[in-house]
């Protein structure tokens, strides 16, 4: 079945936990009233739309505004406000696996509130990435239903959104702060010069080997002393050496600058793997070329660059998105 999906759009889910995939397959088979694996394989061969539906079931996009609100309070007190004490020209946050963008805009709301209360006018950029193109399209629009914004207080709703017919529209100030683009967490080089990586409830769907591949990339992409935020059921696992625990209940960690890097963008390459080989899980919508030399790390630099550093085609899509908002 994974082979059918890879043939369809170059997507590989081989690094996902088997139990997660089996539950999604069983759901699709139940909806189609099919009881045999062979019969469902024939359906996948004959109906491209079923391959797309199965792939969408694998792309689990569960998110909401201010999910676990008490943890957002810890993030603001222990990460965002201390960042303002750093002498740099701006700040960068990366949210991989952002789905439809609720967490990205939640962070933007926190930043906007903090800037207003402190008078700090330095710019922030929040990069939301995912492999689900449909989810990214909705995130870029910044339009949400009444049910989607239940996590917002009345005050935040009035300040951050405006009614637009049957939906609510995120205001232009927050949308200008956020950039959404497709990115393959395990295959594309990570973003760099980051102050915070918020990767919540993504690794719980991946096996241990895939998790061990992701965390060194976060360590590489963060500025010295940068922060990592994980989901409530996620841990550092076998990659504890890369981070120090800042707040265990809130799953807040800080980059260990003494740990040797476990990832290098200079030597990173993207070989073509067979479906049955050891290809890491991707779910990407297209194949990505080797990273350009512009991805060279710049040690001992804490300045915030003005542009993200994803793969070249992601950069083009970001620029297109920013142009449309202007």
């Amino acid at each position: 079945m994974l082979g059918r999906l890879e043939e369809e759009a170059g997507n590989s889910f081989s690094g996902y936990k088997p139990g997660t995939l089996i539950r999604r397959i069983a759901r699709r088979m139940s909806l189609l009233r099919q009881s045999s694996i062979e019969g469902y394989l024939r359906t996948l061969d004959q109906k491209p739309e079923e391959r797309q539906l199965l792939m969408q079931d694998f792309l689990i996009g569960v998110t909401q505004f201010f999910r676990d609100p008490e943890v957002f309070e810890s993030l603001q007190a222990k990460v965002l406000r201390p960042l303002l004490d750093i002498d740099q020209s701006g700040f960068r946050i990366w949210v991989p696996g952002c789905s439809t963008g609720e967490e990205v805009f939640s962070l933007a709301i926190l930043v906007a509130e903090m800037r207003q209360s402190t008078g700090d006018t330095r710019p922030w950029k929040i990069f939301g990435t995912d492999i689900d193109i449909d989810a990214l399209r909705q995130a870029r629009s910044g339009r949400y239903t009444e049910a989607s914004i239940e996590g917002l207080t009345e005050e935040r709703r009035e300040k951050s959104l405006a009614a637009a017919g049957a939906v609510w529209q995120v205001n232009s100030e927050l949308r200008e702060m956020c950039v959404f683009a497709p990115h393959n967490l395990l295959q594309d080089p990570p973003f760099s010069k980051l102050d915070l990586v918020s990767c919540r409830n993504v690794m719980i769907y991946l096996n241990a080997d895939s998790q061990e591949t992701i965390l060194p990339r976060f360590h590489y992409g963060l500025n010295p002393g940068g922060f990592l935020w994980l989901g409530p059921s996620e841990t550092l696992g076998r990659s504890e050496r890369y981070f120090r625990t800042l707040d265990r209940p809130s799953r807040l960690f800080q980059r260990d600058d003494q740990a040797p890097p476990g990832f290098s963008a200079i030597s990173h390459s993207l070989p073509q793997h067979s479906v049955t080989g050891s290809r890491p899980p991707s779910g990407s919508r297209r194949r990505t070329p080797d990273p350009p030399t512009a991805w060279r790390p710049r040690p001992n630099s804490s300045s915030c660059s003005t542009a993200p550093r994803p793969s070249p085609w992601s950069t083009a899509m970001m620029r297109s998105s920013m142009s449309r908002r202007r």
Side-chain angles (χ1 to χ4, degrees):
M1 292 181 189
L2 298 186
R4 265 64 165 187
L5 298 188
E6 184 163 4
E7 292 169 4
E8 173 72 16
N11 300 316
S12 174
F13 294 90
S14 60
Y16 281 55
K17 290 179 179 177
T20 298
L21 301 182
I22 290 171
R23 285 192 295 272
R24 297 304 184 274
I25 293 170
R27 175 183 176 276
R28 291 302 311 164
M29 291 178 62
S30 176
L31 290 173
L32 296 175
R33 298 187 178 184
Q34 292 191 346
S35 58
S36 73
I37 296 298
E38 292 77 9
Y40 188 59
L41 283 172
R42 285 194 296 271
T43 299
L44 290 175
D45 288 335
Q46 297 166 5
K47 297 183 177 181
E49 64 272 19
E50 180 58 28
R51 296 195 292 271
Q52 289 293 328
L53 289 170
L54 178 60
M55 190 162 52
Q56 285 300 316
D57 266 22
F58 285 172
L59 298 174
I60 306 159
V62 180
T63 184
Q64 65 187 65
F65 281 94
F66 288 94
R67 188 176 187 180
D68 307 316
E70 68 284 353
V71 182
F72 272 88
E73 294 177 5
S74 296
L75 176 78
Q76 186 175 41
K78 298 181 180 181
V79 174
L80 298 182
R81 286 191 176 275
L83 283 175
L84 295 181
D85 296 330
I86 300 175
D87 182 16
Q88 63 186 45
S89 59
F91 304 92
R92 292 158 59 92
I93 300 175
W94 179 26
V95 185
C98 71
S99 187
T100 47
E102 284 90 335
E103 183 168 303
V104 175
F105 286 123
S106 297
L107 289 168
I109 290 170
L110 278 186
V111 168
E113 293 173 348
M114 187 174 62
R115 293 177 69 187
Q116 183 177 14
S117 65
T118 62
D120 193 306
T121 59
R122 286 176 290 178
W124 291 69
K125 273 298 177 186
I126 306 175
F127 305 109
T129 63
D130 205 286
I131 56 177
D132 189 337
I133 302 300
D134 293 333
L136 287 172
R137 188 177 295 112
Q138 180 179 340
R140 288 194 195 99
S141 74
R143 296 165 71 89
Y144 297 95
T145 64
E146 184 77 29
S148 300
I149 62 173
E150 288 182 352
L152 289 175
T153 64
E154 190 66 30
E155 181 182 2
R156 281 174 169 164
R157 182 182 302 192
E158 292 178 358
K159 288 184 177 181
S160 306
L161 292 89
V167 299
W168 291 81
Q169 173 78 62
V170 177
N171 68 38
S172 58
E173 176 190 358
L174 299 179
R175 284 186 286 124
E176 285 294 332
M177 197 185 303
C178 304
V179 176
F180 296 95
H183 181 274
N184 186 314
L185 188 56
L186 283 169
Q187 287 189 318
D188 292 339
F191 284 47
S192 63
K193 312 311 295 179
L194 300 163
D195 300 291
L196 167 66
V197 174
S198 173
C199 185
R200 303 178 72 212
N201 306 309
V202 173
M203 293 196 298
I204 56 174
Y205 300 110
L206 304 177
N207 61 35
D209 289 340
S210 298
Q211 294 177 24
E212 194 172 11
T213 299
I214 291 174
L215 288 164
R217 293 168 181 250
F218 292 160
H219 178 269
Y220 164 84
L222 285 165
N223 284 327
F227 300 94
L228 171 66
W229 190 22
L230 299 180
S233 300
E234 296 170 330
T235 66
L236 298 175
R238 299 183 296 206
S239 299
E240 286 187 339
R241 62 188 181 277
Y242 294 110
F243 297 92
R244 301 192 305 270
T245 300
L246 184 66
D247 183 334
R248 187 172 296 279
S250 299
R251 296 297 191 268
L252 291 171
F253 304 92
Q254 189 167 23
R255 186 184 192 271
D256 188 343
D257 301 333
Q258 303 303 314
F263 173 85
S264 170
I266 298 175
S267 60
H268 178 65
S269 61
L270 302 175
Q272 300 296 322
H273 298 265
S274 67
V275 173
T276 57
S278 58
R279 179 175 180 168
S282 66
S284 70
R285 301 287 175 166
R286 64 183 77 188
R287 308 228 181 244
T288 309
D290 289 344
T293 55
W295 278 76
R296 294 181 182 276
R298 292 178 288 177
N300 302 322
S301 171
S302 61
S303 63
C304 174
S305 71
T306 58
R309 296 176 179 271
S311 56
W313 53 269
S314 294
T315 302
M317 184 161 291
M318 289 181 201
R319 290 172 178 165
S320 172
S321 173
M322 295 172 70
S323 175
R324 285 195 294 273
R325 286 201 295 273
R326 292 195 188 98

